[in-house]
Amino acid sequence: MAQIVHLDDHRRMREPGQGMATNLSPKRPRLSDRDLWTRDYRQIDNILYAIMKIKEILDYHLYYDDVWPYLLLSFLEAVHNTKQGDARELPGTGASLKDYVLSAVTPVNKRDLSMVLLLTDLIEKSPHYRGSSSSS
């Protein structure tokens, strides 16, 4: 007996990542090297931009895990405390976030997750350069 097959349904079954997207699914992060490299991560608005980019990337790739939001909030709190003069927590929380991201890297997501590592390093190291530059 003949059976009618809808092509869209057939494609969804063959490519589950493509067919399961809904309006609630996280969108693929838009990353621009130029946009990320030209920011001064000593300024709070650029730090928040980087944190939101990190959230966007992790939300897209690691949506199934509930550990990274806690690590990201801890990192944000440590950055805030560093701005207030207490930089003790920043290296530890940054290392925890980076360790977690490194454990989640796969061949599919390595470009985006390496951007998370880069942004984390830029945020961590920017306050230290402020006091050591001789051109200030």
Side-chain angles (χ1 to χ4, degrees):
M1 185 164 145
Q3 182 179 6
I4 296 174
V5 176
H6 295 283
L7 289 177
D8 290 335
D9 293 338
H10 178 68
R11 285 185 189 127
R12 279 189 206 111
M13 289 176 17
R14 292 194 60 159
E15 300 173 9
Q18 297 289 332
M20 294 173 53
T22 66
N23 289 339
L24 299 176
S25 299
K27 305 264 187 276
R28 177 140 188 90
R30 297 183 131 203
L31 302 172
S32 164
D33 290 341
R34 180 180 167 267
D35 188 37
L36 297 175
W37 279 106
T38 57
R39 294 183 179 269
D40 180 9
Y41 293 102
R42 292 177 293 179
Q43 298 174 353
I44 195 70
D45 55 337
N46 292 328
I47 291 172
L48 289 176
Y49 175 83
I51 294 288
M52 293 309 292
K53 276 297 175 187
I54 291 171
K55 182 208 173 290
E56 186 179 340
I57 293 167
L58 295 179
D59 204 21
Y60 180 75
H61 290 289
L62 306 176
Y63 61 89
Y64 52 84
D65 202 346
D66 60 352
V67 173
W68 67 263
Y70 170 76
L71 294 172
L72 189 59
L73 282 174
S74 298
F75 181 66
L76 181 59
E77 181 181 20
V79 169
H80 172 72
N81 290 341
T82 299
K83 291 287 185 186
Q84 303 299 320
D86 181 19
R88 290 177 290 158
E89 297 174 3
L90 188 60
T93 57
S96 296
L97 180 62
K98 288 187 279 188
D99 287 344
Y100 175 78
V101 169
L102 280 172
S103 71
V105 171
T106 66
V108 174
N109 65 13
K110 69 179 176 181
R111 182 185 182 278
D112 290 348
L113 292 187
S114 66
M115 191 63 70
V116 170
L117 297 173
L118 173 68
L119 286 170
T120 306
D121 278 342
L122 288 171
I123 292 170
E124 269 185 314
K125 294 187 173 40
S126 287
H128 300 294
Y129 294 140
R130 182 176 7 157
S132 64
S133 70
S134 59
S135 62
S136 304

